[in-house]
Amino acid sequence: MAKRVSMKGRGLEAVYGDYRTSAPVHRAAGADVYGQGGAPAKEADSSLLKATFYLDRETIELLERLWLDQRRSGRRGSSKSALVRMAIRLLAE
């Protein structure tokens, strides 16, 4: 039986091979490659852009509470993103 090759010091190359000699991966610019977790959106609006904002714990809990209230009242189509868009538009008025 042949002796196993040592993986010591190879890091990710041990799993994925030598990244310097592999072919590059091409992706469309702006495409959400990994997608969002949870249920898929009913209708994908290509005019929406993904953005990241940092919120304090109290604001996140308030957003969760508002979202759950919307769901309990029967408006299952509204998302947290829709609530944030509505809040920003109300502030802009």
Side-chain angles (χ1 to χ4, degrees):
M1 182 179 246
K3 199 173 180 183
R4 290 192 305 172
V5 178
S6 174
M7 295 291 149
K8 186 174 182 180
R10 293 191 64 195
L12 287 178
E13 290 178 6
V15 177
Y16 297 109
D18 189 7
Y19 66 90
R20 292 169 285 194
T21 60
S22 62
V25 176
H26 297 286
R27 294 186 181 128
D32 189 7
V33 177
Y34 299 105
Q36 288 283 74
K42 290 184 180 176
E43 51 186 67
D45 188 358
S46 62
S47 66
L48 298 178
L49 301 174
K50 187 173 181 176
T52 301
F53 298 96
Y54 296 96
L55 304 172
D56 57 76
R57 184 177 302 275
E58 182 181 336
T59 306
I60 291 173
E61 290 173 359
L62 181 58
L63 178 61
E64 285 284 332
R65 201 171 325 127
L66 289 169
W67 178 67
L68 286 172
D69 289 344
Q70 291 285 317
R71 289 181 58 88
R72 285 187 193 116
S73 68
R75 297 187 204 126
R76 291 198 174 262
S78 67
S79 64
K80 293 176 192 173
S81 295
L83 289 173
V84 171
R85 284 193 303 271
M86 188 184 322
I88 291 171
R89 288 190 178 115
L90 286 172
L91 282 171
E93 291 180 352

